[in-house]
């Protein structure tokens, strides 16, 4: 018997698919299309198990859909701009382009060795000018429509290296390179106006619900963070002017006991200037600004100082002190709040800490609320108290009335706020797409004319990690001509955030060879992506940006669709010894080594078998051994039966053993098909393993050759999406079938043969027969009990009583024991 040699088998079939160009696809209006996309990798150097998992899951779906007759687009590319390439240049002196393309080359080899069914003709690398030129075009179009604009933004600044740092280069508040404490600095930068699409992005969240995980939808909604409220002016005491606050709880306005400004609020300095409080407040503001970075890492205490100034509650006329505190953010609302400690937890904690008064204005329906007795804010609905003529109303009703009053008095108006901020895309980095803008001393800011695109990133550059943006040092690049007056002008030296490239790459896969325009009719044929698969870490930013870009490109007339991704699957992490696989933890399993030892089919099988896609996968060395043994067992089974296949069938009808044997074939097809549809690959594989055991047990039985052949053929077809190489080999070498599996259709089952017999189950309540139900013989106990409890007979006799126990005697009866 031939030994199973995964290396030989796998290389053979990979070569075969490549030579036959099996996975290259063309648009074919006559066939239904299916666009399967996995998130493209950053070419960091080598694939890790997370990648392998992502792409193994995708490959099952791609191959399965293909066998179902879909015209499947399954592309792959490289998210090739980014910081690590630049860091490699700083640390090892290798050019980012060289580093990137070498990595791409290596990783592409790894993907091919896994046998993934990609159409490599459509490969994209985002650092290629033929890709980012279109991005520059979109930027210009957005600029012309006011969707790209320049504004001040806050950046991380390293005083040691005199350079801007990316968030990833700030480690514990310090520069990753020189260890200096990182400062905040205001710098001019480019923004994309994603807020203009906030409402549409939110509205479409609900339309996406059917094909996206609920968790991701919720994260997107929270990120957009729409909140309805009012802005109200609190006049200053003894001076002209007022403080404008934003609140979502105008019903609590009678309970305001202080007002708080964000430390960065311009009025802070104004109000303390020349007063005895000036020094202390300024010191606090400095500290709070420095805290900025740490704050984001989550370890912060609510702190503040009074300004010594007062303002007036416009509805009550009460005077309230003005404070500044670190928990009020300048970027949200108006950067100022009215504090209601009785009904807002943050305000409550702050008031307790600084001994500020607490005034209750809403009480629960059934009791009084005394400020002294409160241990936390009362944030529920209730009845208005201490609120003038609103007393006694429900707070919901009062809310509407108070807003009307505020608007009538002209002291404020309704306002909708979003957490979502415009997207700052300027990076003072080298390895990114240049922003196509020219600054002319006479004509101002101008976009690069379209026919001069792309603005190619120059390759001759010095990257030291110190000083300003590397591009600013490349004189040939910076110095240019003004497109309007032809005088000397300068180019923008910022590059774009790499998230911009990943916001539209899925569109470009449809027509990567079109060098005249970004998109053509092929986009219409393939889009939207039918199934997108990737990590949950992209649940917010990448997916939101991609949705935003799709809408912008629609409004610019480039594409004709509202949403890019029909369905989304977020796969879990790969963990080992209880922690996420990572270099720093030293628990990394190298895919190459595993493929060397067991072959790609075993690695794929193990990854798919160990956990359902959305769950975390715990890497166990025994597990991969087990999968390898299974494939060897499968191999031997085929070779053992092979001689039998040539024999003729007996003349008599199926024996009862053969009936069972045949039924199992169809049950397995049904189960595996349904499991793949639901992405339950692990249970599909478990079913195949069980079936293999059954076939081994059937070896001594008298099963006719044609039935054996059918079983083995179905085995190959059903396992093919998971382990494509070994199945091709067995199909062609043992079963002698042609054409290859990749061109076969997914098997169908005969519904007549998978019917489960039904049984009648009697429903008793306290031992008396009250109803009966018809159920499939193998319906799980829980289901039978649920159905029994819902029968009219059971309902009549359990109503108003407590069910104590439900007993199921399989295939016979359910007894419901109840009391009362
Ligand atoms: C008074 C009040 C009373 C509030 C109450 C809440 C409960 P969302 O839903 O997130 O929009 N707030 C407003 N601007 C803020 C800022 N720049 N920094 C920190 N907090 C700010 O939250 C709106 C609420 O968050 C606002 O309503 C305000 O506190 C606070 F019983 O005003 B509220
Ligand atoms: Zn000019």
């Amino acid at each position: 018997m031939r030994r199973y040699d995964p290396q030989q088998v796998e290389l053979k079939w990979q070569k075969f698919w490549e030579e036959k160009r099996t996975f290259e696809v063309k648009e074919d209006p006559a066939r239904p299309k299916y666009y399967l996309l996995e998130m493209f990798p950053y070419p960091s150097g080598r694939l890790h198990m997370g990648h392998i998992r992502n792409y193994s899951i995708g490959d099952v779906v791609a191959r399965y859909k293909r066998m179902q007759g879909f015209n499947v687009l399954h592309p792959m590319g490289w998210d090739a701009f980014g910081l690590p390439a630049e860091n490699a240049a700083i640390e090892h002196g290798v050019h980012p382009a060289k580093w990137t393309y070498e990595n791409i080359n290596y990783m592409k080899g790894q993907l091919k060795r896994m046998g993934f069914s990609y159409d490599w003709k459509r490969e994209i690398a985002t650092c290629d000018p033929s890709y980012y030129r279109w991005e520059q075009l979109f930027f210009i179009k957005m600029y012309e429509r006011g969707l790209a604009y320049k504004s001040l933004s806050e950046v991380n600044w390293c005083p040691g290296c005199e350079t801007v740092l990316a968030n990833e280069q700030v480690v514990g508040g310090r520069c990753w390179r020189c260890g200096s404490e990182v400062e905040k600095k205001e710098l001019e930068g480019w923004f994309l106006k994603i807020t203009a699409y906030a409402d549409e992005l939110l509205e479409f969240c609900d339309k996406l619900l059917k094909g996206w995980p609920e968790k991701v939808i919720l994260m997107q909604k929270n990120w957009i963070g729409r909140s309805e409220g009012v802005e109200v002016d609190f006049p200053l005491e003894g001076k002209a002017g007022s403080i404008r606050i934003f609140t979502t709880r105008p019903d609590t306005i009678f309970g305001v006991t202080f007002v708080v400004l964000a430390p960065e609020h311009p009025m802070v300095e104004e109000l303390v200037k020349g007063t005895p409080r000036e020094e202390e407040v300024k010191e606090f503001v400095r500290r709070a600004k420095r805290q900025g970075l740490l704050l984001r890492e989550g370890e912060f205490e609510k702190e503040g100082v009074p300004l010594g100034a007062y303002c007036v509650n416009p509805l009550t006329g009460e005077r309230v002190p003005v404070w500044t505190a670190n928990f009020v953010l300048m970027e949200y609302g108006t950067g100022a709040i009215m504090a209601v400690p009785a009904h807002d937890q943050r305000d409550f904690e702050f008031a307790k800490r600084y001994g500020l008064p607490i005034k209750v204005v809403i009480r629960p329906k059934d009791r009084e609320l005394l400020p002294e007795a409160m241990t936390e804010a009362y944030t529920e609905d209730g009845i208005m108290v201490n609120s003038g003529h609103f007393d006694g109303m429900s707070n919901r009703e009062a809310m509407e009335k108070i807003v009307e009053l505020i608007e009538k008095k002209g002291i404020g108006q309704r306002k909708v706020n979003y957490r979502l901020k415009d997207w700052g895309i300027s990076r003072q980095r080298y390895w990114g797409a240049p922003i196509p803008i020219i600054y002319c001393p006479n004509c101002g800011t101008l976009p690069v004319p379209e026919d001069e695109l792309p603005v190619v990133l120059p390759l001759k550059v010095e990257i030291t990690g110190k000083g300003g943006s590397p591009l600013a040092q490349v004189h040939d690049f910076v110095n240019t001509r003004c497109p309007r007056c032809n005088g000397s002008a300068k180019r923008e030296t910022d590059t774009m955030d790499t998230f911009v490239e990943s916001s539209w790459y899925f569109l470009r896969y449809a027509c990567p060879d079109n060098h005249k325009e970004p998109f053509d009719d092929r986009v219409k044929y393939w889009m939207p992506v039918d199934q997108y698969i990737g990590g949950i870490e992209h649940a917010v930013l990448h997916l939101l940006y991609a949705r935003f870009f799709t809408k912008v490109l629609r409004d610019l007339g480039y594409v004709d669709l509202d949403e890019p991704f029909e369905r989304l699957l977020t796969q879990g992490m790969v963990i080992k010894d209880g922690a996420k696989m990572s270099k720093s933890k030293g628990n990394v399993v190298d895919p190459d080594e595993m493929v060397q030892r067991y072959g790609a089919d075993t690695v794929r099988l193990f990854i798919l078998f160990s956990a359902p896609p959305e769950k975390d996968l715990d890497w166990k060395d025994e597990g991969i051994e087990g999968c390898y043994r299974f494939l060897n067992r499968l191999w031997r089974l085929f070779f053992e039966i092979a001689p039998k296949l040539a024999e003729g069938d007996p003349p008599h009808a199926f024996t009862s053993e053969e009936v069972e044997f045949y039924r199992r074939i169809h049950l397995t097809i049904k189960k595996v098909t349904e499991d793949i549809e639901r992405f339950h690959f692990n249970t599909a594989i478990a079913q195949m393993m069980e079936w293999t055991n059954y076939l081994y047990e059937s070896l001594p039985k008298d099963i006719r050759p044609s039935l054996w052949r059918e079983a083995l053929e179905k085995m190959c077809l059903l396992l093919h999406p998971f382990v494509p190489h070994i199945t091709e080999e067995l199909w062609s070498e043992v079963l002698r079938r042609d054409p290859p599996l990749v061109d076969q259709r997914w098997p169908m089952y005969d519904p007549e043969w998978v019917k489960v017999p039904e049984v009648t189950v009697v429903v008793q309540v306290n031992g008396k027969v009250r109803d009966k139900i018809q159920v499939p013989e193998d319906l799980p106990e829980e289901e039978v009990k649920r159905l029994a409890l819902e029968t009219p007979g059971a309902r009549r006799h359990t109503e108003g009583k407590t069910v104590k126990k439900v007993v199921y005697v399989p295939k016979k009866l359910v007894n419901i024991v109840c009391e009362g």
Side-chain angles (χ1 to χ4, degrees):
M1 190 191 297
R2 218 180 115 192
R3 197 176 58 88
Y4 172 45
D5 176 357
Q7 306 299 330
Q8 182 262 324
V9 169
E10 291 175 2
L11 293 175
K12 167 182 163 187
W13 287 101
Q14 283 161 16
K15 188 159 162 259
F16 176 87
W17 297 324
E18 185 147 352
E19 277 170 2
K20 289 271 188 298
R21 303 172 164 219
T22 304
F23 303 114
E24 286 178 18
V25 277
K26 284 233 156 47
E27 299 65 32
D28 177 1
R31 278 200 296 159
K33 67 94 185 178
Y34 193 89
Y35 185 175
L36 179 94
L37 182 68
E38 298 128 24
M39 291 182 183
F40 65 166
Y42 176 75
S44 56
R46 313 171 74 80
L47 293 176
H48 54 66
M49 277 302 172
H51 291 127
I52 302 277
R53 186 174 191 203
N54 190 170
Y55 305 145
S56 297
I57 293 167
D59 206 49
V60 174
V61 182
R63 286 176 178 271
Y64 168 72
K65 289 288 172 185
R66 181 189 164 91
M67 290 174 82
Q68 282 192 322
F70 286 91
N71 192 21
V72 176
L73 173 58
H74 188 204
M76 184 39 76
W78 310 95
D79 191 10
F81 273 137
L83 196 59
E86 216 161 317
N87 288 347
I90 297 167
E91 284 178 292
H92 312 297
V94 40
H95 193 282
K98 183 169 186 291
W99 186 85
T100 303
Y101 279 105
E102 280 176 7
N103 288 347
I104 287 178
N105 202 29
Y106 186 79
M107 290 165 79
K108 189 170 169 179
Q110 289 185 296
L111 290 174
K112 289 193 168 175
R113 186 60 193 81
M114 288 301 296
F116 297 138
S117 60
Y118 297 124
D119 178 353
W120 284 107
K121 268 195 102 164
R122 295 174 186 258
E123 181 180 4
I124 283 170
T126 58
C127 62
D128 193 304
S130 70
Y131 180 80
Y132 66 69
R133 64 174 299 178
W134 305 118
E135 187 164 306
Q136 293 174 331
L137 177 66
F138 305 150
F139 179 89
I140 289 169
K141 299 281 187 201
M142 289 170 84
Y143 176 74
E144 285 164 356
R145 297 220 175 178
L147 288 171
Y149 64 92
K150 208 170 185 191
S151 157
L152 278 181
S153 72
E154 204 174 64
V155 295
N156 305 310
W157 177 257
C158 171
C161 302
E162 296 195 314
T163 194
V164 175
L165 298 178
N167 286 339
E168 308 90 283
Q169 293 176 311
V170 181
V171 184
R174 294 181 176 277
C175 172
W176 69 294
R177 225 178 133 256
C178 74
S180 311
E181 201 168 312
V182 174
E183 294 170 358
K184 287 271 160 195
K185 199 169 158 170
E186 293 262 287
L187 212 70
E188 286 240 285
W190 288 93
F191 286 83
L192 299 184
K193 208 173 195 167
I194 190 171
T195 53
Y197 287 82
D199 269 327
E200 199 195 324
L201 287 166
L202 195 64
E203 191 189 308
F204 271 83
C205 273
D206 294 319
K207 300 187 189 161
L208 287 171
L209 262 175
K210 48 188 167 62
W212 283 44
E214 252 171 76
K215 184 170 68 172
V216 176
I217 299 276
L218 196 67
M219 285 164 83
Q220 296 227 337
K221 282 186 173 174
N222 287 340
W223 189 264
I224 297 167
R226 183 180 202 273
S227 84
E228 285 179 21
V230 275
E231 287 187 359
V232 188
D233 289 325
F234 279 58
L236 291 167
E237 186 196 59
K239 309 193 193 17
S242 56
I243 295 173
R244 173 152 279 225
I245 62 96
F246 171 70
T247 180
T248 47
R249 295 291 307 275
D251 52 325
T252 64
I253 194 163
F254 285 80
V256 176
T257 57
F258 54 102
V259 160
V260 189
L261 300 176
E264 298 84 359
H265 199 293
M267 283 180 85
V268 171
E269 207 168 315
E270 254 172 71
L271 289 173
V272 295
K273 198 174 232 143
T275 75
R277 308 244 353 111
E278 183 166 1
E279 267 325 298
E280 194 191 328
V281 170
K282 279 188 167 167
E283 174 52 32
F284 173 81
V285 169
R286 265 194 297 276
R287 212 151 29 93
K289 281 188 183 166
R290 238 182 294 125
Q291 248 187 350
L293 280 176
L294 295 175
L295 221 116
R296 228 180 292 134
E297 288 165 25
E299 26 171 313
F300 91 106
E301 236 177 293
K302 290 174 203 68
E303 284 180 290
V305 288
L307 303 184
Y310 289 82
C311 62
V312 178
N313 183 328
L315 285 198
T316 64
E318 277 169 337
R319 107 195 244 270
V320 287
V322 181
W323 285 60
T324 179
N326 59 358
F327 71 90
V328 178
L329 312 171
M330 191 59 216
E331 299 81 45
Y332 188 65
T334 60
I337 65 156
M338 60 177 215
V340 187
H343 304 292
D344 179 284
Q345 186 58 23
R346 277 177 315 180
D347 299 350
F348 182 84
E349 286 164 24
F350 193 81
K352 281 281 182 201
R353 176 166 182 167
Y354 292 102
L356 290 157
I358 296 172
K359 182 182 171 193
V360 171
V361 289
I362 296 169
R363 66 160 177 81
K365 280 206 174 67
D366 51 354
R367 63 190 162 96
E368 292 302 310
L369 202 58
L370 296 173
E372 311 81 69
M374 290 173 81
T375 55
E376 58 179 9
Y378 177 73
T379 57
E380 313 282 298
D381 285 338
I383 308 296
M384 301 290 288
V385 291
N386 300 324
S387 300
H389 68 269
F390 297 101
D391 282 2
M393 276 182 204
S394 85
N395 72 305
R396 291 278 142 198
E397 189 189 342
M399 177 119 71
E400 190 47 40
K401 295 241 155 75
I402 290 175
V403 175
E404 280 165 17
L405 184 63
I406 289 170
E407 287 193 321
K408 204 172 91 207
K409 286 187 146 195
I411 52 174
Q413 68 276 127
R414 283 171 218 266
K415 178 82 207 259
V416 176
N417 268 328
Y418 297 90
R419 296 244 153 236
L420 184 67
K421 293 277 150 281
D422 278 341
W423 175 14
I425 58 152
S426 266
R427 297 291 177 273
Q428 291 71 38
R429 316 238 70 88
Y430 165 67
W431 194 235
I435 295 176
I437 288 286
I438 291 171
Y439 302 102
C440 168
N442 300 318
C443 314
T445 304
L446 297 164
V448 172
E450 282 173 32
D451 58 4
E452 287 177 24
L453 294 179
V455 176
V456 177
L457 186 67
L459 288 180
K460 266 190 89 172
V461 59
E462 216 190 318
I463 303 163
T464 59
K466 288 194 202 166
S469 159
L471 276 184
Q473 317 300 322
V474 186
H475 300 290
D476 289 353
F477 175 82
V478 178
N479 298 310
T480 184
R481 295 261 140 212
C482 168
R484 189 174 297 166
C485 73
N486 205 32
S488 58
K490 294 205 182 299
R491 283 190 195 280
E492 171 64 67
T493 57
D494 284 353
T495 53
M496 290 193 237
D497 180 0
T498 57
F499 273 106
V500 181
E501 281 90 63
S502 54
S503 294
W504 64 279
Y505 75 110
F506 43 89
L507 295 165
R508 187 66 184 165
Y509 279 136
C511 53
D513 55 356
N514 189 338
H515 299 294
K516 294 211 175 66
E517 47 187 0
F519 310 124
D520 55 38
D521 281 352
R522 290 176 287 175
V523 174
K524 211 173 185 148
Y525 176 78
W526 290 113
M527 288 298 288
V529 171
D530 294 275
Q531 179 70 55
Y532 196 25
I533 306 176
I536 186 80
E537 66 275 19
H538 295 297
V540 178
L541 293 183
H542 162 58
L543 290 169
L544 198 64
Y545 292 154
R547 295 181 57 211
F548 162 59
F549 247 77
T550 303
K551 291 174 193 298
V552 169
L553 292 172
R554 174 200 62 196
D555 292 346
L556 292 174
Y558 284 110
V559 296
D560 183 18
L561 93 160
D562 296 318
E563 288 285 338
F565 313 125
E566 191 80 13
R567 296 171 58 87
L568 172 73
L569 175 77
T570 49
Q571 101 252 10
M573 287 188 300
V574 181
I575 56 180
K576 185 163 189 270
D577 310 326
K580 180 176 176 174
M581 266 191 198
S582 76
K583 265 199 205 123
S584 60
K585 298 238 168 54
N587 61 352
V588 174
V589 177
D590 181 31
D592 285 3
E593 204 187 308
M594 292 295 124
V595 172
Q596 264 294 292
R597 193 176 317 163
Y598 303 108
D601 279 340
T602 295
V603 174
R604 295 169 60 121
L605 189 70
F606 168 65
I607 278 189
L608 296 162
F609 177 54
S610 298
E614 333 75 57
K615 295 273 160 55
D616 285 350
L617 184 162
D618 199 357
W619 186 279
K620 290 252 174 20
D621 293 335
E622 311 89 81
I624 193 159
E625 279 286 345
C627 285
Y628 184 58
R629 275 199 307 274
F630 168 70
L631 290 184
N632 275 287
R633 227 167 113 67
L634 183 77
W635 181 270
R636 284 199 308 275
L637 178 68
F638 273 69
F639 279 90
E640 238 163 87
I641 298 166
K644 213 184 206 148
L645 296 178
E647 294 167 18
D649 278 0
H652 58 76
F654 278 8
T655 64
S656 64
E657 272 179 340
E658 286 178 324
V659 167
E660 178 57 14
F661 189 93
Y662 186 71
R663 205 171 75 88
R664 289 272 192 143
I665 296 175
H666 288 264
L667 277 175
T668 305
I669 298 172
K670 177 169 190 279
K671 166 94 172 123
V672 172
T673 307
E674 288 171 357
D675 281 353
I676 293 184
E677 287 289 340
R678 295 180 299 156
F679 294 140
H680 289 195
F681 305 140
N682 55 327
T683 51
I685 294 168
Q687 174 76 19
M688 297 303 289
M689 291 176 167
E690 230 174 82
W691 190 36
T692 306
N693 289 342
Y694 170 78
L695 292 180
Y696 263 103
E697 287 161 21
S698 304
L699 279 175
K701 296 180 197 161
D702 220 357
I703 306 290
R704 68 189 62 203
S706 65
L707 273 181
W708 272 114
R709 170 165 282 278
E710 177 156 4
L712 295 191
E713 286 186 0
K714 295 303 188 295
M715 178 69 86
C716 284
L717 290 162
L718 294 177
L719 272 178
H720 182 67
F722 306 99
V723 285
H725 313 87
I726 187 173
T727 45
E728 284 285 19
E729 183 74 4
L730 295 170
W731 179 260
S732 87
E733 297 305 312
V734 181
L735 303 180
R736 301 272 162 212
R737 287 287 319 259
D738 193 46
L741 277 174
V742 276
D743 294 324
Q744 295 293 330
R745 285 285 160 268
W746 188 254
M748 308 273 266
Y749 58 87
D750 184 340
E752 284 305 312
W753 281 84
V754 296
K755 268 197 197 140
V756 181
E758 295 211 325
V759 287
T760 304
V761 172
V762 170
V763 181
Q764 298 183 340
V765 178
N766 291 340
K768 290 211 179 76
V769 176
R770 300 298 186 190
D771 218 320
K772 58 185 183 201
I773 44 175
Q774 283 281 116
V775 294
E777 196 176 80
D778 61 350
L779 195 69
E781 177 163 345
E782 282 313 303
E783 270 306 288
V784 179
K785 287 180 177 173
R786 195 179 59 78
L787 292 176
L789 281 164
E790 279 175 7
T791 54
R795 282 214 186 159
R796 253 194 323 274
H797 293 90
T798 53
E799 214 181 274
K801 299 181 184 162
T802 342
V803 173
K804 289 275 161 198
K805 203 162 74 176
V806 185
V807 187
Y808 178 43
V809 182
K811 300 184 203 175
K812 292 213 170 62
L813 70 88
V814 173
N815 186 26
I816 302 166
V817 183
C818 62
E819 255 178 32

